[in-house]
Amino acid sequence: MRVFTLIGPSHSGKTELAKALATLQEPEQKPQQATGVAELRAFPFMDEAWGVIDIAGGVENLATAGPALAASDAAVVCVPADPSAGVLAAPYLRMIEEAGIPAFLFINRMDQAAGRVADIVAALQTYCRHNIVLRQIPMRASGEVIGAVDLISERAWKYQEGQPSALVAFPDSIHARERQARGEMLEALADYDDDLLEQLIEDRKPVTKAVYDVATRVLQHNDLIPALLGSALHRNGILRLMKSLRHEAPAVEVAAQRLAADGQPLAVGCIGDLVKHLGKTVVVRALSQPVGAGAQVGGGNLGAMTQLRDQSTAAKTGTSAPAAGRTAGNGRNPSPSGSGPSGSGDLAPGDIAQVVKSDHLSLGYAYLENRAAQLPRWTQPRPSSYQRIITPMNDRDDVRLTAALERIAEIDTGMLVEQDEISGHALLHLQGPLHLRRILGLLNDSFGIEVGDKPVPPALRETITRPVTIHHRHRKQSGGAGQFADVVLSIAPAARGSGFHFTDEVKGGAVPKGYIPSVEAGTREALKAGANGHPVVDVQVTLKDGKHHSVDSSDYAFRTAGKSAVREALAEAGSVVLQPIMRVEIHVPSVFTGGLVPVVSGMQGQILGFAAHPEAAGWDVFETLLPVAAQEQLCSSLASATRGTAWFSSGFDHYEEARRMSPAAS
């Protein structure tokens, strides 16, 4: 089986395209779904088995695209036929370039084209280091697109509603435009083929088959990105795209080699899901050799497998389709492509199956026989900068919630689970609010756990504004051994970020050395909560003098004296609240960079500057210092200001005095 991943912006028609491709030769079949993020369709095309992984639109779902692309032979980026929407494709173009995976562009909904194709390609080219090369140009009549001309075969095809396009004669009006576009395409291809370059220099017309061969080699080497036209809803241009994939996409061996840095992988997980009453399921693709149920993969044995195949292939092999639920490994179920050992039930290299009862499988890894190797860096999700604390509605679900989140994290690489230091509740690091909604839905539907969520309160601190010296005597007599400790402490502000320092200047043994650590311990305890209830930082405490009693003094007494003295000093010294300031790095398409200045300034952010990204075309890296309390607002404001294309990472930089705290911060 050959597999490709379909990605692109929301509302670009990806699902329409996936359905159209999957039904070129057979009726539509029920896809394999992963809740809200992906669909996998198996279908036949020209006596070959194919699979398409359709990733849901929206940059919050890009975490799902990483493992799917790692398991694929090629990618198709579906974009709308509108130059103004070109920037929406920027995150997807950036991802396939980082992946180094062969890719096609499909400009969809050409029947609704809002501009010239050249302008659409130019808008996309802004965000792509690889040269985007048009392989077709549109034919128009009365201003509407009625077909396309293939620039390699030099044939004109007229669109037909719901049917394959019809071969027609070249309209006279298109000859000049076709020659120009074909010349530009050939020049782009000639940069990677000396023979073709020689023919162009000598003004000789290249043979069509030779041009196709060059186009195939260029695609497989990931040198160029070809662009095709059509309308998935009307089934226009679909056959041409599928034929291009069939002839030009590389074989599964290339995908296996991309993941072979730590050894030759046997399989890789494509998508994962949690199914009620069934548990965790992972769709795996065999890569370098056949694998079957019970085989040793990733240090554990594979559980039951349901091979994903098209109905026609199942009929030819005399086996049931996926809906029948027959599993591999039973000696009666050959591979869906017919390439595996007859009757072995193994997945041949390239084949895919849904695996259950394999707890050791998770997304984000390629699997060798005895171990799992983490997928390349480009497959890893963006930093999870949207944070929420979640708590179960019923206390009895507390333990169940922890176990459920661990299971979800195994099939959702975009989620990170930690424990909040203050409340002890689960702290989720997510891709955004839609991601949160999906996680809450999974908890409810698959585990029956209802939870509430709330923002993470900022970790506020406080410090003092002036030095104070306090003399405190702790004395207690209640029959029996008494308590006595006398200390003179000086507390003073220290440099911002210096933390806490304790020294002693006691002379003559006024406070025995054995009791000084107790005074320090009491000091530290008192600094856990200042006048405003927050930990006190950036102070210097000095034990200057004191007294002790040979009978009644003790570690406990001096600890109590130190704590009480510091509390008195804090009340007298006056305190200010400090808020954490984060260093935020925003990755943003350059067209939106200027618009971020008022957004960040309105959040009390300090702009450090911005510069072009060194590797991603059309992207800037915008750096700012921002109060941590504004991070959640940044998530929503950034989505609005950049049409959902930008993302950010952040890390603690320093504390500074809070000026105007938001309600959430207080």
Side-chain angles (χ1 to χ4, degrees):
M1 176 176 283
R2 303 174 70 185
V3 178
F4 63 95
T5 294
L6 183 58
I7 59 176
S10 299
H11 310 299
S12 60
K14 294 186 306 301
T15 301
E16 294 170 352
L17 180 57
K19 289 180 180 178
L21 292 169
T23 55
L24 276 170
Q25 294 185 351
E26 297 291 339
E28 182 179 357
Q29 300 172 35
K30 184 178 180 180
Q32 177 69 38
Q33 294 186 333
T35 310
V37 295
E39 290 185 344
L40 193 155
R41 301 172 187 271
F43 63 96
F45 183 73
M46 298 181 72
D47 297 324
E48 289 184 349
W50 284 82
V52 53
I53 305 174
D54 175 18
I55 303 297
V59 292
E60 291 185 26
N61 293 319
L62 277 177
T64 306
L69 286 170
S72 297
D73 303 317
V76 175
V77 183
C78 182
V79 298
D82 183 355
S84 66
V87 67
L88 300 180
Y92 307 94
L93 293 170
R94 177 171 174 175
M95 186 169 196
I96 63 170
E97 289 202 316
E98 291 173 349
I101 185 172
F104 287 89
L105 269 172
F106 184 76
I107 302 175
N108 194 20
R109 298 177 178 166
M110 284 301 299
D111 56 311
Q112 305 172 18
R116 297 169 59 243
V117 171
D119 295 335
I120 297 171
V121 171
L124 296 168
Q125 187 67 70
T126 302
Y127 306 102
C128 194
R129 287 181 290 115
H130 289 72
N131 192 10
I132 299 175
V133 178
L134 265 178
R135 291 268 290 269
Q136 297 172 309
I137 60 171
M139 293 193 304
R140 300 178 186 268
S142 302
E144 295 184 359
V145 176
I146 62 169
V149 173
D150 187 279
L151 296 177
I152 295 183
S153 66
E154 294 190 284
R155 293 181 176 181
W157 302 89
K158 184 177 181 180
Y159 294 151
Q160 299 186 104
E161 180 66 28
Q163 301 179 39
S165 302
L167 182 63
V168 297
F170 257 49
D172 293 337
S173 59
I174 206 172
H175 276 292
R177 189 153 51 92
E178 186 273 339
R179 283 194 298 270
Q180 179 183 355
R182 176 177 165 83
E184 293 172 354
M185 179 200 68
L186 292 175
E187 288 178 3
L189 294 175
D191 288 339
Y192 305 94
D193 187 87
D194 292 339
D195 290 338
L196 180 57
L197 178 60
E198 184 178 345
Q199 293 177 56
L200 295 182
I201 292 174
E202 295 176 355
D203 203 22
R204 288 186 286 133
K205 184 175 182 179
V207 177
T208 298
K209 182 181 181 307
V211 178
Y212 273 122
D213 290 343
V214 175
T216 299
R217 188 168 64 252
V218 166
L219 177 81
Q220 294 185 358
H221 288 174
N222 192 34
D223 295 321
L224 298 174
I225 297 180
L228 301 173
L229 316 176
S231 173
L233 181 63
H234 302 288
R235 304 179 70 85
N236 302 147
I238 304 304
L239 184 59
R240 179 68 264 166
L241 172 62
M242 198 63 224
K243 284 186 174 180
S244 297
L245 282 164
R246 180 177 182 269
H247 288 292
E248 301 174 34
V252 65
E253 292 80 10
V254 177
Q257 191 59 38
R258 280 201 307 269
L259 305 179
D262 295 325
Q264 198 68 20
L266 299 178
V268 62
C270 307
I271 54 177
D273 200 5
L274 290 170
V275 181
K276 196 172 184 178
H277 307 307
L278 188 60
K280 181 177 70 174
T281 68
V282 178
V283 176
V284 300
R285 188 184 191 205
L287 293 178
S288 57
Q289 65 186 58
V291 296
Q296 182 84 357
V297 175
N301 295 327
L302 289 184
M305 299 195 305
T306 301
Q307 297 190 30
L308 304 180
R309 65 182 71 213
D310 59 89
Q311 297 279 359
S312 62
T313 301
K316 291 176 184 177
T317 60
T319 60
S320 60
R326 180 170 294 180
T327 58
N330 57 16
R332 301 189 303 274
N333 195 10
S335 72
S337 64
S339 57
S342 179
S344 70
D346 288 348
L347 295 179
D351 292 343
I352 52 180
Q354 182 185 34
V355 182
V356 297
K357 298 180 180 178
S358 298
D359 290 342
H360 65 290
L361 296 183
S362 301
L363 292 189
Y365 297 90
Y367 293 99
L368 288 74
E369 183 176 354
N370 296 315
R371 62 187 178 89
Q374 191 169 41
L375 291 177
R377 182 178 178 182
W378 61 263
T379 67
Q380 305 307 313
R382 298 174 303 153
S384 305
S385 35
Y386 185 78
Q387 302 175 8
R388 304 293 284 188
I389 293 175
I390 63 171
T391 54
M393 295 297 189
N394 297 312
D395 291 339
R396 65 176 182 271
D397 289 332
D398 194 40
V399 175
R400 293 180 60 224
L401 175 61
T402 301
L405 290 173
E406 290 177 355
R407 302 296 284 176
I408 294 175
E410 292 174 358
I411 54 96
D412 190 335
T413 60
M415 181 182 77
L416 176 65
V417 184
E418 293 182 340
Q419 186 179 44
D420 181 54
E421 294 180 357
I422 299 176
S423 67
H425 294 302
L427 171 59
L428 302 187
H429 299 259
L430 303 160
Q431 300 294 307
L434 296 180
H435 190 192
L436 171 67
R437 187 183 307 172
R438 187 170 74 246
I439 297 301
L440 299 187
L442 271 175
L443 288 171
N444 192 13
D445 298 340
S446 298
F447 298 95
I449 302 175
E450 293 187 30
V451 299
D453 67 278
K454 62 180 181 181
V456 181
L460 300 178
R461 299 290 185 265
E462 55 184 276
T463 192
I464 60 174
T465 57
R466 59 189 179 88
V468 171
T469 299
I470 292 290
H471 178 201
H472 180 83
R473 174 172 292 182
H474 174 69
R475 181 164 50 188
K476 185 175 182 182
Q477 190 72 40
S478 56
Q483 298 178 22
F484 178 85
D486 187 294
V487 295
V488 177
L489 289 178
S490 172
I491 183 169
R496 188 76 73 238
S498 62
F500 165 73
H501 297 281
F502 180 88
T503 58
D504 75 274
E505 298 177 354
V506 178
K507 297 178 180 178
V511 176
K513 289 187 179 297
Y515 293 144
I516 292 177
S518 298
V519 177
E520 180 179 354
T523 299
R524 290 183 180 275
E525 188 174 345
L527 294 178
K528 289 181 179 179
N532 297 285
H534 309 300
V536 181
V537 296
D538 302 339
V539 293
Q540 169 77 47
V541 177
T542 303
L543 175 60
K544 289 183 169 294
D545 199 0
K547 294 180 180 179
H548 73 286
H549 190 277
S550 59
V551 175
D552 292 340
S553 290
S554 64
D555 287 330
Y556 177 79
F558 273 98
R559 179 170 181 158
T560 303
K563 180 168 63 174
S564 299
V566 169
R567 285 179 174 173
E568 292 177 20
L570 291 176
E572 184 176 334
S575 63
V576 292
V577 175
L578 303 176
Q579 61 179 338
I581 302 298
M582 311 300 286
R583 190 180 188 94
V584 180
E585 188 177 86
I586 304 173
H587 290 245
V588 56
S590 54
V591 68
F592 296 127
T593 300
L596 291 186
V597 174
V599 171
V600 171
S601 298
M603 300 177 191
Q604 302 179 17
Q606 176 187 347
I607 298 171
L608 302 178
F610 58 88
H613 193 286
E615 297 178 356
W619 287 78
D620 285 342
V621 178
F622 188 105
E623 292 187 296
T624 179
L625 296 176
L626 197 68
V628 69
Q631 277 202 181
E632 185 168 349
Q633 182 184 351
L634 179 63
C635 285
S636 58
S637 298
L638 200 59
S640 175
T642 68
R643 301 178 69 183
T645 57
W647 54 273
F648 70 92
S649 61
S650 65
F652 173 77
D653 190 83
H654 66 279
Y655 277 98
E656 72 176 28
E657 183 177 343
R659 294 181 293 275
R660 295 184 299 276
M661 300 302 297
S662 67
S666 58

